[in-house]
Every structure is written in structure tokens, then in C-alpha cells.
Amino acid sequence: MFGARFDPTSFDEGPVNGKKEPILIRKRRLSNTSEDEEDIEKESSEEEVSEEDSSEEDSSDSESGSDSDSDSESESDSESESDREVVEEDQEDLTQDMEVDTPDPDYLSKHSAIFKKFEKSLSKQLPKTDDISIEDEEEIPEVQDLAPLPQPALPRDRRLVSNTNNLSNLNWLATPIYVSPSDTKSFQDFDLSPFMHRNLVNLNFTQAFSVQIAVLNLLLKDIKQNKVQPDFKGDILVNASTGSGKTLAYSIPIIQDLHSRIVPRVRAIILVPTKPLINQVRTTLNQLSKGTNLLITSLKNDISIQEESNKLLTAVPDIIISTPGRLVEHITNNSINLSALQYLVIDEADRLLNQSFQNWCDILMEKIDNSIDISKTWKLRVKKLIFSATLTTDAGKLAPLKFQSPRLVIVNDEEKLVNELYTVPPTLKEFTLKFGSAKSSLKPLILSKYLIQQGKLANVLIFTKSNDSSLRLAKLLQLLFDKLVLSSKIEIAYINSTNNKTLIRTKVLKEFSQQKIHILIATDLIARGIDILSISDVINYDLPNSSREYVHRVGRTARAQQDGNGYNLLFGKGETKWFNKLMNDIGRDHPIEDVEIDSKDIVSADDEAIYETCLHELQKQVHS
Ligand SMILES: Nc1ncnc2c1ncn2[C@@H]1O[C@H](COP(=O)(O)OP(=O)(O)OP(=O)(O)O)[C@@H](O)[C@H]1O
């Protein structure tokens, strides 16, 4: 029965899981008695293992060769050839063995189905393909090659493309580019287009501030080189104090780079945390892009996503300013195409990176990675520009941004890297006014009298810890100043989340900048981004919850290299302790001054009587 010369390619069971099956050993197993079965099984399993090993090796070789398809093909051909030789060699020996053995009848009956199938495949001479009729096709068992199936090429690992510079090596944080806050340089000395020079002069921007010098030097050089040889130079992170001109630092190079574009595509996205900042950045960009046909669009929630999507699809903007939440909604709505994106600016980065709502960072990075067409080698990667006055060095918060060859710029004289890179403006003077906790019931009166004695009756911004305290303090100070200052009317207002509507906030801030409102009381909600150069004094009536919020509060004054004062009211040892803790994280050019002051020197018995009257008056207002 088994005398016919066996052609290994005619066996009807193809390789199992891509591995070559030692056919002849199996035939030997078929022809032997059960007693010997164990030995043979053992022997064949040993041979099988060795064969399998070599076959695994071969198949793994062929897999590893799968990167270059041509190699793997030739390899598997030669393998199957040699395999066939091996199998045929064995064939001679085994056939002799088999003729000697008489098959066991039980064994035969047990496996008759396999034998019949095997006989049929042996006896069939395969007809030429063109003779095969439909019914034949059904009968004829499929013939499979013994060589391992060619493995599919490994998919290119996109991730290898997008974050070659993982944050595992954070040494770029420890080797920043230091820039002295006092550096200045004329904008005329930068290689900018005539329209840009004209716009800067019209805006009275003549001298570039240190953060602008540092960023312009880096980006203008990259832009110039990319015109010749597109090559990604790396992301940029900037830590510069409040009011140091970060907005201009990124607006000028982006407009300079994009102004000569032919087709409008979304090439720059600027993310900021609040609507006031969106308006502020858009105003700056519109002023700087006068004379170009760049289209700058800000995303806001005063129209529906659908309406805004239609606007974005009909008039494709070059530059988009948005909060992360609104941008993510449009990305998931597919109304913004990021394939041409060149710049991603994250302003007030620490606050945005702390806001993990909607997981905006991962969604945005994923979308940017997917929009990189890795086949286009000329395709420049998206350059990420990260700005903050309180830049975090927490790798966990920075990691989602997947930096590539990042460069860290620190505008600071002291070349020491603290854990958090907080800096206050160099032109800011900071003071503490310390009183015993027993005097805290007189806090509004003490503040009013101090401001009157110091002549600070305008351009004063006061921060409180909550909406309620800002409202109460505003009403109480108005009652006090109406009674204590008779020579003029001191107008006092407040901003907090209860009246932070665009129209109201814009009106209040405008009147404050025009000294129609003399003293403004606010919460941290509007601390960041208020850009009113006339603010001369910031007062922490209530201490902030973090050193970061402290920096942003006092950063509302001493902006654009102008002088400014920050006062901190400390009532009792607990508040002094908390204040000292906050100051640990903050770098400054000069020490904080303790104002030597005694409440008796400020507040008289008459004052206290007036204060009592005002408190009753307030009580009535609240209950009326
Ligand atoms: N080179 C310059 N010359 C004169 N004024 C400038 C210059 N650059 C910026 N300014 C002005 O300085 C003020 C602060 O600028 P900007 O808001 O960009 O600072 P910032 O660093 O972003 O502050 P913050 O961290 O508080 O947002 C703005 O009123 C701006 O017009």
C-alpha cells in the first residue's frame, strides 16, 4: 500500500501554523504496531522537535527577512528546495522499512478514513488547470507548498516617527538657554519683511524685549533654513515672567513665516485658557498681519459648533486661536484639517496642561500624528511653542506633548534650575504688611486707610479668594471711601465669575484702564491675561492658593518693563507661614520688603466708628 514513491508536494494536509510537518515520520507512525508507537512517537517527536526547531528558525528567518520582501521570497524558495531534498532522502530509507512491517488490522480500521483520503491524493495525477471542471475542482484536495507561508511586512511603527525624542532624557530641561531679562534689541535689527517693520512701528514697538529676542533668534533662523532645506529643528519651551511680551514673541515669527503662503490652510493653532486672552491675542495678530492676506479666526462658544464648522470649511483660516475644549470639539467634528499644520502654540501652558478635560492634549497629539504623512520626507513636523510665566518641569505634565528635540529658553538672570521655573517681572517690587490676627476684623478699614495714606487712589487691582468676598469687599470699600475721601469720588468695581460676561468684563476693564473705575476687585478667574499697562499696584487682600497663582496675580502689574508694586496683607502667624511657603518656589531679582506698620498708626477711634456704620449699611443692603 505504501510502496508508491511519495511526492511530498502532493500531501493533502498543508503545513500546520506555517510550520513544516515532518511528513515521512508521520508515515512511519502510521505503519507501526501500537507497542512500538511510544518509541516511535518519542523518536519521531524528538526528530519532530529538531525539525520543528530548524523549521522555526527558518520560518523566523523568513519573518525577520520580511522587512525586505525580495530577500524573504528567495530565502523561502531555497528553504523548501532543501526541505524537499531532506524529505526525499528519508523517503528511500523509510519505504524499505515499511515493506518489512505488516500493518496492524486494528490500527488500519481505526484510521481507515485517513488512509482512504491519503490513497486518493496519492492516486490522483493532477490534471492541467485548464482541464479542471467545476465538479473536479470540488473533489481535488488543495495542494499547498511545504515552505512557510510568507509573513506580512511589519507595519511601520508610527510612534517611532512621532516621538523620537521621548521625555525619558530630560537633560534638555537642565541645559536651558538663559536670557537676561534686561536684554533689548531694536526690531529694525531683525530680518523681518517690510510689512512687519511697518506694523511694529505703528504699534510703537521699537525695542524687542528679552523673550522676543530669544524666540525670534531661534525661529527666524529656522524659518530661513527651512526655505532652503526643510529640516525640523525642534520644539521650543519658554519660561518668561508675566508681562514680558510672550504674545509678540510667537506672533511675529509665525506671521513672518506664513505671510507668503499661496493657498490658505490651517498652518498655526494658538491655544489659550480664556476668552479674554483669545481676544487679546487675536487683536495682536490682526495688528501685526496688516498688509498680508492671512486669515485669522478665533473659535468661541458664542455660536454653535455646526455654524462655526461651516464658517471654517467655507473660509479656511491660516491661524486659529482657541481654547483647547473648543478646538477638540472641531477636531472630533472633522471641521479642521491639520495636515498642513506647522505651528502649535500653547500659551499659559501650565494652566492648559493642568486642564485635562476632554483629554484635549492626547486627542490633539493623536490627530497631529495621524496627519503627518510619513511618506512625504519633505513634510516638516509640527513645531510646538510652549509659553508660560510658571512653566512646570513636571515631566508627567509635559510628556503628553511629545516634544521633539526640545529647546528650553529661560528669561532669568540666575542660572539655577528650580523645580518650578517661576519668575516675577524684574521691575516688580513686592511688600508684606503684617498685623496680629486680632486685627483681622478691621482688615477692610486698614486697607482703605493704607491706600489713602499712600495716595494710591487709582490703578489699584485687589485680589480676593472668592466671588462672595470680592462682592462684599467692593461694596464695603465703596461705603468706606465715600465717607473717608471727601475730595473726590473713588469709583470701586469688581469682576468675578458671576459678572464675567464678555460685554460686562470688557466695559469694566476698559473703564478701569481709563481711570473711570479707580479700584478693581477681582478673583483668580481673571488673574491671567489681564493686560492693562496702567495698573500700578496689585494687592493680595487674600493670599492665593499657590505660588503659580501668586506669580500671575502680581504679574498684572510691572508689565512691559514698567514699574509696579505687589502688596501682601498678612494677618496672624498662619498667614505669614503660608506666604513664606509660597515664596519658596519663586525666583526674583530683589528681596520682598516688610513694611513696618502698626494698625494704631493707621486707624483711629473715629475711623473705627465710621467702619461700624458702614458695616450696618452693608448689612441693610444685603438684606434689602
Ligand atoms: N517690545 C515691546 N515694546 C513695548 N511693549 C511691548 C513689547 N512687547 C510687548 N509689549 C506690551 O507688553 C504687554 C505685555 O505683553 P504680553 O501680554 O505679550 O505679555 P505676556 O508675557 O504674555 O504676559 P502674561 O504672561 O501675563 O500673559 C502688552 O501690553 C504688550 O503690548
Side-chain angles (χ1 to χ4, degrees):
M1 185 165 89
F2 299 113
R5 179 175 171 71
F6 169 61
D7 165 8
T9 56
S10 65
F11 184 58
D12 64 341
E13 281 184 28
V16 178
N17 309 327
K19 295 195 182 73
K20 292 181 294 311
E21 190 65 11
I23 303 301
L24 293 165
I25 291 167
R26 189 193 294 194
K27 275 177 70 180
R28 190 193 307 172
R29 200 170 48 231
L30 294 178
S31 61
N32 282 288
T33 59
S34 49
E35 292 85 83
D36 303 345
E37 197 162 356
E38 223 164 273
D39 302 350
I40 291 295
E41 281 293 322
K42 195 160 133 300
E43 188 187 319
S44 63
S45 62
E46 271 153 26
E47 286 215 19
E48 215 161 271
V49 166
S50 60
E51 175 75 10
E52 221 159 58
D53 276 359
S54 62
S55 69
E56 253 167 25
E57 253 162 56
D58 295 348
S59 59
S60 62
D61 287 352
S62 72
E63 263 170 19
S64 60
S66 66
D67 276 353
S68 45
D69 293 348
S70 53
D71 296 356
S72 63
E73 252 159 44
S74 55
E75 235 165 65
S76 57
D77 282 352
S78 58
E79 265 168 27
S80 48
E81 200 49 48
S82 56
D83 289 342
R84 282 206 196 100
E85 275 148 34
V86 168
V87 170
E88 279 162 14
E89 262 158 41
D90 287 359
Q91 166 68 24
E92 268 70 57
D93 321 344
L94 281 175
T95 321
Q96 277 112 32
D97 292 353
M98 281 179 213
E99 268 142 19
V100 172
D101 297 332
T102 47
D104 163 18
D106 297 350
Y107 196 80
L108 285 176
S109 60
K110 214 158 85 174
H111 302 284
S112 57
I114 294 177
F115 293 142
K116 282 204 185 75
K117 207 172 167 194
F118 187 59
E119 260 178 36
K120 197 189 295 179
S121 66
L122 274 185
S123 58
K124 289 240 175 227
Q125 293 306 322
L126 276 180
K128 287 191 189 52
T129 40
D130 45 3
D131 306 347
I132 293 178
S133 65
I134 299 296
E135 48 282 0
D136 285 354
E137 214 162 47
E138 267 139 31
E139 272 176 42
I140 292 174
E142 191 190 339
V143 175
Q144 285 192 5
D145 191 348
L146 297 179
L149 292 172
Q151 301 303 318
L154 285 174
R156 286 289 303 272
D157 183 336
R158 267 188 190 289
R159 273 171 294 116
L160 288 179
V161 171
S162 63
N163 58 353
T164 42
N165 266 294
N166 240 323
L167 281 174
S168 51
N169 57 336
L170 284 175
N171 62 347
W172 57 273
L173 268 179
T175 51
I177 303 164
Y178 278 100
V179 186
S180 166
S182 52
D183 284 358
T184 57
K185 178 178 174 184
S186 166
F187 278 118
Q188 293 305 323
D189 297 341
F190 288 97
D191 183 13
L192 296 166
S193 305
F195 82 88
M196 183 60 81
H197 282 305
R198 206 172 35 251
N199 293 336
L200 287 167
V201 168
N202 293 342
L203 292 166
N204 288 326
F205 294 145
T206 50
Q207 292 296 315
F209 292 163
S210 45
V211 65
Q212 293 155 2
I213 297 170
V215 175
L216 280 166
N217 285 343
L218 288 172
L219 285 179
L220 292 182
K221 200 166 117 215
D222 293 356
I223 292 166
K224 200 168 180 176
Q225 286 174 356
N226 284 340
K227 296 259 187 263
V228 179
Q229 160 69 25
D231 179 19
F232 184 72
K233 294 287 185 308
D235 300 323
I236 298 179
L237 293 92
V238 178
N239 180 78
S241 66
T242 51
S244 55
K246 294 187 282 295
T247 313
L248 234 57
Y250 59 75
S251 306
I252 294 173
I254 287 176
I255 290 170
Q256 176 65 30
D257 190 8
L258 302 185
H259 82 279
S260 53
R261 64 98 179 98
I262 307 295
V263 178
R265 306 279 301 278
V266 176
R267 291 185 173 82
I269 290 179
I270 299 169
L271 292 180
V272 293
T274 63
K275 266 167 65 172
L277 264 170
I278 289 180
N279 297 332
Q280 203 176 289
V281 172
R282 194 188 57 216
T283 306
T284 305
L285 287 169
N286 283 334
Q287 289 169 338
L288 291 174
S289 58
K290 272 206 181 79
T292 70
N293 58 0
L294 287 174
L295 178 58
I296 294 154
T297 300
S298 54
L299 304 182
K300 289 192 280 189
N301 51 8
D302 42 12
I303 57 174
S304 74
I305 279 285
Q306 203 42 55
E307 279 171 283
E308 203 165 55
S309 299
N310 298 338
K311 268 174 67 179
L312 287 167
L313 294 170
T314 40
V316 178
D318 297 285
I319 302 174
I320 290 180
I321 312 156
S322 173
T323 55
R326 192 71 177 182
L327 180 71
V328 162
E329 286 187 78
H330 279 291
I331 285 178
T332 36
N333 200 31
N334 273 325
S335 39
I336 296 178
N337 179 339
L338 298 183
S339 57
L341 189 68
Q342 289 175 232
Y343 293 98
L344 172 65
V345 177
I346 300 183
D347 199 353
E348 308 283 355
D350 58 297
R351 178 163 165 185
L352 289 180
L353 291 173
N354 278 337
Q355 287 171 352
S356 59
F357 60 81
Q358 285 170 310
N359 203 11
W360 68 269
C361 202
D362 295 341
I363 293 171
L364 181 57
M365 292 305 131
E366 179 67 27
K367 187 77 177 176
I368 289 175
D369 280 352
N370 290 340
S371 66
I372 290 181
D373 185 344
I374 50 179
S375 61
K376 291 199 180 77
T377 45
W378 54 268
K379 168 87 186 151
L380 277 177
R381 299 180 193 295
V382 177
K383 193 184 286 282
K384 296 172 193 116
L385 309 177
I386 314 299
F387 290 84
S388 175
T390 51
L391 184 68
T392 178
T393 54
D394 175 343
K397 289 195 186 126
L398 293 171
L401 288 168
K402 298 183 191 170
F403 293 123
Q404 320 246 339
S405 5
R407 298 166 281 182
L408 172 62
V409 175
I410 299 184
V411 178
N412 196 345
D413 278 332
E414 293 147 45
E415 302 219 354
K416 67 180 171 60
L417 185 63
V418 292
N419 177 34
E420 296 290 355
L421 308 169
Y422 297 168
T423 52
V424 292
T427 51
L428 174 76
K429 289 195 178 65
E430 296 161 275
F431 305 90
T432 55
L433 287 84
K434 293 179 183 170
F435 303 94
S437 50
K439 295 293 177 194
S440 53
S441 60
L442 297 177
K443 197 170 175 180
L445 176 61
I446 291 172
L447 172 61
S448 309
K449 291 293 288 186
Y450 181 74
L451 290 175
I452 294 166
Q453 280 181 11
Q454 298 293 317
K456 296 177 183 298
L457 298 178
N459 303 314
V460 176
L461 175 60
I462 300 174
F463 282 104
T464 64
K465 61 178 180 269
S466 67
N467 286 346
D468 194 28
S469 55
S470 61
L471 181 60
R472 281 175 48 84
L473 185 63
K475 290 186 178 307
L476 192 48
L477 288 187
Q478 189 64 72
L479 292 168
L480 276 168
F481 275 95
D482 289 350
K483 291 183 172 9
L484 294 171
V485 179
L486 305 176
S487 57
S488 61
K489 172 72 174 162
I490 308 296
E491 287 297 341
I492 295 174
Y494 71 90
I495 286 188
N496 59 34
S497 56
T498 61
N499 69 344
N500 186 32
K501 298 280 173 286
T502 310
L503 287 178
I504 301 172
R505 185 184 59 244
T506 312
K507 179 174 175 295
V508 167
L509 290 178
K510 189 166 176 230
E511 289 181 0
F512 183 44
S513 65
Q514 293 165 345
Q515 290 82 42
K516 289 178 187 157
I517 289 174
H518 301 99
I519 296 175
L520 179 62
I521 297 162
T523 59
D524 283 316
L525 175 96
I526 56 132
R528 289 175 190 249
I530 288 188
D531 180 42
I532 299 176
L533 298 184
S534 54
I535 296 175
S536 55
D537 299 276
V538 165
I539 295 176
N540 285 316
Y541 180 82
D542 297 321
L543 289 178
N545 297 327
S546 68
S547 36
R548 178 184 290 125
E549 286 320 316
Y550 175 89
V551 167
H552 285 284
R553 283 186 178 187
V554 296
R556 295 313 99 202
T557 184
R559 300 173 69 79
Q561 299 185 346
Q562 296 182 88
D563 292 339
N565 306 305
Y567 292 89
N568 300 284
L569 299 184
L570 308 179
F571 282 73
K573 288 200 176 55
E575 288 196 355
T576 302
K577 206 161 153 245
W578 174 243
F579 180 75
N580 294 337
K581 186 180 176 323
L582 290 180
M583 293 305 111
N584 284 341
D585 293 341
I586 300 170
R588 52 178 50 81
D589 290 1
H590 43 261
I592 298 171
E593 269 179 65
D594 286 342
V595 177
E596 292 304 322
I597 190 167
D598 187 321
S599 58
K600 286 198 281 305
D601 303 337
I602 305 183
V603 171
S604 65
D606 292 349
D607 295 332
E608 288 197 36
I610 290 173
Y611 183 52
E612 283 306 315
T613 316
C614 293
L615 284 175
H616 290 309
E617 185 63 29
L618 182 64
Q619 238 16 15
K620 273 190 248 158
Q621 280 183 15
V622 166
H623 294 307
S624 55

